[in-house]
Amino acid sequence: MTYRPVILLRFPVIFWAGFQYGTCLVWYNVLNATCSLILSEQPYNFRASFVGLTYLGPLIGMFLGTFYSGWVGDRFAVRYARRTRGIREPEHRLWLMAVSLLLCTASLILWGVGASKGISWVGLVFGMGIISCSTGIGSSLSINYALDSYKDMSGEVMMAVILVRGYGITPWLHMGYQNTFISAGFIGLAITMTFLIVIKWGKSWRIASRKRYWGYVADGTLGH
């Protein structure tokens, strides 16, 4: 039924995962919204084809981010479980968000302040790659956390996570690149840091929702 994902938003784990996922995508939208504006102006004066080539940086960054959150993340979860007598909790994987915490803030500030100060285009492309890497890490880990928590309703969980996504930063640009992206960097820092709250309280949230969850799984209806 079409309303199932909406009802699943009552679960704090799913709402947080969707909010975190959407926030990560916002930062990549920031890149898309400003890349051509920045690189086509002084002192860079890139043609459209050159602007397109700079997206090799985000391509590499996304590959590294997904590799870290996927292959590295799986092995981290297994090693962490050994420390907890073989018990693996979905929250264990969230410790990997610490890398995204650093990359998100640093990359947004590098991109905005670098553009404002006219640094070398190499520095900007590097910043693009870090933004993309941070996006890959944060979005992958948040989705995987939601799916690990409620595996038997993965389809509905994915739809619910997507519903929470949000977009929009271009109205800030009247502040100038430097102020806009310093603000965005610290907002990203604050939002990403919420993974520490989820590590502490996520298990209790899942326990509190277990009766409703298993009831939904048993009868396939979320209308109760």
Side-chain angles (χ1 to χ4, degrees):
M1 297 184 181
T2 56
Y3 59 82
R4 289 185 177 186
V6 177
I7 296 178
L8 276 179
L9 295 179
R10 291 185 292 178
F11 294 175
V13 164
I14 294 178
F15 186 86
W16 176 84
F19 182 71
Q20 189 69 44
Y21 175 52
T23 301
C24 291
L25 293 184
V26 164
W27 307 137
Y28 194 74
N29 288 341
V30 168
L31 180 62
N32 285 327
T34 57
C35 181
S36 182
L37 293 174
I38 291 172
L39 294 177
S40 62
E41 296 176 347
Q42 293 285 351
Y44 308 107
N45 298 318
F46 279 17
R47 299 196 301 269
S49 58
F50 286 178
V51 172
L53 286 173
T54 62
Y55 274 83
L56 287 173
L59 179 64
I60 296 171
M62 184 61 70
F63 172 79
L64 293 175
T66 53
F67 176 79
Y68 171 79
S69 58
W71 190 87
V72 175
D74 289 342
R75 280 146 185 79
F76 175 85
V78 171
R79 291 176 66 90
Y80 200 100
R82 291 173 182 168
R83 299 173 53 188
T84 56
R85 299 181 180 179
I87 299 174
R88 188 178 76 84
E89 302 285 359
E91 288 78 20
H92 292 169
R93 191 189 297 264
L94 292 181
W95 284 111
L96 295 169
M97 291 281 287
V99 172
S100 181
L101 180 70
L102 299 175
L103 294 183
C104 176
T105 306
S107 60
L108 289 170
I109 292 176
L110 174 59
W111 176 251
V113 176
S116 176
K117 301 301 183 182
I119 67 170
S120 168
W121 64 268
V122 176
L124 293 185
V125 173
F126 183 71
M128 293 168 68
I130 301 177
I131 290 174
S132 182
C133 182
S134 174
T135 298
I137 294 172
S139 58
S140 296
L141 290 176
S142 57
I143 290 175
N144 286 335
Y145 174 58
L147 294 176
D148 280 350
S149 298
Y150 303 105
K151 295 179 181 179
D152 294 279
M153 301 187 68
S154 57
E156 288 89 345
V157 167
M158 278 299 301
M159 292 178 65
V161 167
I162 291 172
L163 283 176
V164 186
R165 293 185 309 178
Y167 301 93
I169 192 171
T170 49
W172 295 3
L173 292 179
H174 70 278
M175 299 167 55
Y177 293 131
Q178 178 169 309
N179 292 335
T180 294
F181 286 97
I182 289 176
S183 300
F186 282 100
I187 290 172
L189 176 69
I191 293 174
T192 306
M193 283 184 68
T194 59
F195 83 90
L196 297 172
I197 297 174
V198 180
I199 287 176
K200 182 174 179 60
W201 300 106
K203 184 175 181 178
S204 63
W205 295 342
R206 291 187 290 110
I207 292 173
S209 67
R210 68 185 186 278
K211 290 184 179 179
R212 280 180 295 170
Y213 169 64
W214 288 115
Y216 298 158
V217 172
D219 60 22
T221 302
L222 300 182
H224 298 334

